[in-house]
Amino acid sequence: MTRDELNAHRLVKEAQETELRAFTRRHFLKESAMGLGAVAMGALLGSCGLGGKTNNDILYDPVHPLLPKAPPFLGKAKSVIYLHMAGAPSQLELFDYKPELMKMDGQDCPQSLLAGKKFAFITGVPKMLGPQAKFAQHGQSRAWVSDNLPHFSTMVDDVSFLKAVSTDQFNHAPAQLLIHTGSPRLGRPSMGSWATYGLGTENQNLPGFVVLTSGGSFPDAGKSIWGSGFLPSVYQGVQCRSEGDPVLFIKDPHGMSRDLRKASIDAINASNEQEYAAYNDPEILSRISQYEMAYRMQISAPEVMNINDEPEYIHEMYGTQPGKSCFANNVLLARKLVEKGVRYVQLFDWGWDAHGDGPNNSLNIGLKNKCRSIDKPITALLLDLKQRGLLEETLVVWGGEFGRTPMMENRNGVQNPYNGRDHHTDAFTIWMAGGGVKKGFTHGETDEIGYSGISGKVDAFDIQATILNQLGFDHEKFTYPFQGRPFRLTDVAGKVIHDVIA
């Protein structure tokens, strides 16, 4: 038998085996043995009251997966804008003022801060590093903010600070996954996916979950950080751009009319409907819905993603640069998107990893430049939402994946050429505004050098539980069935931070 004949024989055999898997009982039982076991286990758990019906069992409609839904209880927030500074900004140069740390500047780090601890890069005995910024108290709340954020300091009376946030992950990718998906490992749905699964979206011509990136690179965790995990794929984040077309390939190809494009979508969906009739897989209906969404987005997305028509005072307010890719443009787009009914907008700004191994990664140069790029936009966002009456129903969250150490980083035991700090898991700052949280409030406190939380300690699961609470969900009951058990965003942890809720 020649090689060509052998290959042809193999292809025919593979086709026959594929057909057998679809239509014969023997192959069905072989392929689905584990699945049948899971079904049986699910029935047993249900009979014991462990897998009982929750108030979320009927949320997913595969034909209309993004229709707006009412949450189990009335939430104070209708949408979320999450501003993530990828790389982890230093709380000690922004919000957590520690004059005692300045007194220790240049001294050897006490062994009590090193014993039994793991750091990403610190080895040996590093030097302590005092605050590399000047601090002052602002507003009626007298909140401490450094001179790195002069515009934002005017908004502290609209913000709730969480000063004692901690994590158990000291590398970027797993820490980013933990704070947004509830697990440091790949495969879990992101918070935006949970929100759109539970609430749908108020604008059927736009995605319910939109992602915008800036800083010249993706977060270390990659696109999985806005993935849908085991939730239906229709709930994953849709990445849009502030430069060029908002979505790649959103325009019709040259020579293709709108009617021809609709005919092609109809033909694809007709094929998918046949597949659904044969296999009854709800994911196929989600695919049909996504094709229809993509067709509608061709009209709606370019309009809402266009910032050129905004008044000049808005551009001045945000510091936008129309036609370019930048954080300020993305923040303005976030306001436009929630104004149009988008449920969850996630912004990632890369470049906040201030190790001190180079000027762009230093506290004195790199951090100051990054702060300069976000200061006006985030201030403008809060003011703009407030004046439009949207802040009370939009929860704005700002933060990174972990904090920075009170000591200077000494990579491989050698002091870095610039002032910088290593990754730190024990304490960092996240703030929230709008969406029913308290104004001008600070929750939690760190010790005199900002090393550990001494009161009001919270973690990623507590943040997630609080965000879901403001959207109208009990995080312990908001579940999705997967692998024979109900999964939730907060896994088996998390408590609502009631102290920050108005």
Side-chain angles (χ1 to χ4, degrees):
M1 184 178 292
T2 67
R3 179 177 294 180
D4 289 343
E5 289 174 334
L6 182 61
N7 287 336
H9 176 72
R10 287 174 177 170
L11 289 172
V12 169
K13 187 175 181 180
E14 287 177 7
Q16 290 172 340
E17 289 179 351
T18 299
E19 186 174 8
L20 283 171
R21 290 191 185 99
F23 295 107
T24 69
R25 182 173 62 182
R26 178 182 299 171
H27 281 81
F28 167 77
L29 293 173
K30 179 181 177 182
E31 295 292 328
S32 62
M34 292 298 292
L36 291 173
V39 170
M41 179 61 72
L44 290 173
L45 291 174
S47 66
C48 297
L50 299 177
K53 187 178 181 65
T54 72
N55 55 10
N56 298 291
D57 288 338
I58 59 173
L59 284 174
Y60 178 53
D61 177 359
V63 180
H64 304 291
L66 290 173
L67 283 180
K69 313 177 187 77
F73 59 86
L74 185 61
K76 295 183 179 181
K78 294 172 61 177
S79 56
V80 175
I81 297 175
Y82 200 119
L83 311 169
H84 186 105
M85 309 296 105
S90 173
Q91 76 282 5
L92 297 169
E93 273 68 45
L94 296 178
F95 307 116
D96 208 9
Y97 178 49
K98 297 299 173 184
E100 289 299 315
L101 183 60
M102 181 57 75
K103 298 177 182 178
M104 301 177 67
D105 186 57
Q107 298 178 16
D108 285 348
C109 178
Q111 282 296 324
S112 60
L113 303 182
L114 303 173
K117 294 289 185 179
K118 291 183 179 180
F119 299 97
F121 295 101
I122 284 177
T123 55
V125 180
K127 301 290 185 182
M128 301 300 289
L129 182 64
Q132 301 298 295
K134 295 179 180 179
F135 280 78
Q137 289 179 291
H138 298 272
Q140 294 183 354
S141 60
R142 308 304 292 158
W144 289 99
V145 179
S146 82
D147 59 357
N148 282 325
L149 298 173
H151 295 282
F152 174 77
S153 65
T154 65
M155 299 301 299
V156 293
D157 287 339
D158 288 283
V159 169
S160 272
F161 291 97
L162 303 172
K163 291 286 190 70
V165 187
S166 64
T167 180
D168 60 4
Q169 301 295 318
F170 62 80
N171 285 321
H172 296 292
Q176 291 166 1
L177 285 167
L178 177 62
I179 203 126
H180 291 289
T181 74
S183 171
R185 289 167 289 280
L186 298 172
R188 298 287 292 273
S190 61
M191 194 157 23
S193 297
W194 280 105
T196 48
Y197 160 62
L199 295 173
T201 181
E202 294 183 340
N203 190 329
Q204 297 302 297
N205 295 327
L206 293 169
F209 177 17
V210 173
V211 178
L212 300 162
T213 63
S214 57
S217 184
F218 281 155
D220 296 77
K223 295 186 178 182
S224 295
I225 204 170
W226 57 81
S228 58
F230 48 72
L231 292 178
S233 58
V234 71
Y235 299 118
Q236 69 183 355
V238 174
Q239 186 190 352
C240 293
R241 309 185 305 165
S242 59
E243 180 183 17
D245 290 338
V247 180
L248 292 175
F249 311 115
I250 197 167
K251 293 179 180 177
D252 291 326
H254 181 70
M256 174 175 278
S257 67
R258 188 73 178 158
D259 289 341
L260 183 57
R261 169 51 63 92
K262 184 63 169 71
S264 67
I265 296 294
D266 290 343
I268 293 170
N269 283 346
S271 175
N272 283 328
E273 287 168 358
Q274 291 177 1
E275 286 290 299
Y276 178 71
Y279 296 103
N280 200 34
D281 181 358
E283 186 67 16
I284 297 173
L285 295 181
S286 291
R287 191 185 311 154
I288 293 172
S289 175
Q290 287 170 309
Y291 272 109
E292 293 288 352
M293 168 68 75
Y295 178 73
R296 296 192 300 269
M297 279 180 62
Q298 287 188 295
I299 299 297
S300 299
E303 177 185 356
V304 73
M305 299 295 289
N306 176 24
I307 65 172
N308 295 324
D309 295 335
E310 291 289 318
E312 185 59 35
Y313 80 91
I314 288 291
H315 289 296
E316 171 60 27
M317 186 177 173
Y318 281 85
T320 48
Q321 303 176 60
K324 296 183 179 181
S325 177
C326 66
F327 179 77
N329 289 8
N330 288 350
V331 174
L332 177 53
L333 288 173
R335 186 270 287 168
K336 294 188 67 176
L337 288 165
V338 297
E339 193 174 31
K340 292 292 186 180
V342 173
R343 186 68 67 188
Y344 200 100
V345 185
Q346 176 75 68
L347 273 65
F348 290 102
D349 186 57
W350 183 84
W352 292 83
D353 201 12
H355 286 284
D357 54 334
N360 290 333
N361 272 2
S362 69
L363 297 171
N364 307 95
I365 300 172
L367 178 67
K368 288 184 181 293
N369 290 335
K370 292 303 293 185
C371 288
R372 198 173 292 119
S373 73
I374 72 161
D375 188 25
K376 284 185 67 175
I378 60 175
T379 305
L381 175 66
L382 298 178
L383 285 170
D384 204 5
L385 290 171
K386 193 173 181 180
Q387 71 184 11
R388 294 169 189 269
L390 293 172
L391 186 58
E392 285 305 310
E393 62 185 38
T394 303
L395 180 62
V396 182
V397 185
W398 182 98
E401 58 266 32
F402 41 63
R404 315 302 299 198
T405 57
M407 45 280 209
M408 182 184 295
E409 181 180 316
N410 62 337
R411 188 166 297 199
N412 299 321
V414 178
Q415 184 172 315
N416 284 339
Y418 296 87
N419 287 339
R421 303 183 187 276
D422 201 356
H423 307 168
H424 191 52
T425 61
D426 286 16
F428 62 106
T429 299
I430 286 177
W431 59 256
M432 298 180 175
V437 302
K438 289 180 180 177
K439 300 177 181 180
F441 183 74
T442 294
H443 177 76
E445 181 185 1
T446 57
D447 59 31
E448 60 184 9
I449 62 170
Y451 190 88
S452 298
I454 57 175
S455 67
K457 295 181 182 180
V458 299
D459 60 20
F461 299 114
D462 301 326
I463 303 288
Q464 294 156 3
T466 305
I467 292 173
L468 290 179
N469 181 80
Q470 297 309 96
L471 290 172
F473 291 97
D474 181 337
H475 73 104
E476 294 184 342
K477 296 179 180 178
F478 186 29
T479 64
Y480 187 84
F482 179 64
Q483 293 183 336
R485 75 170 178 92
F487 275 78
R488 68 188 211 215
L489 171 63
T490 52
D491 198 29
V492 294
K495 295 180 180 179
V496 176
I497 311 169
H498 291 287
D499 285 350
V500 303
I501 298 174

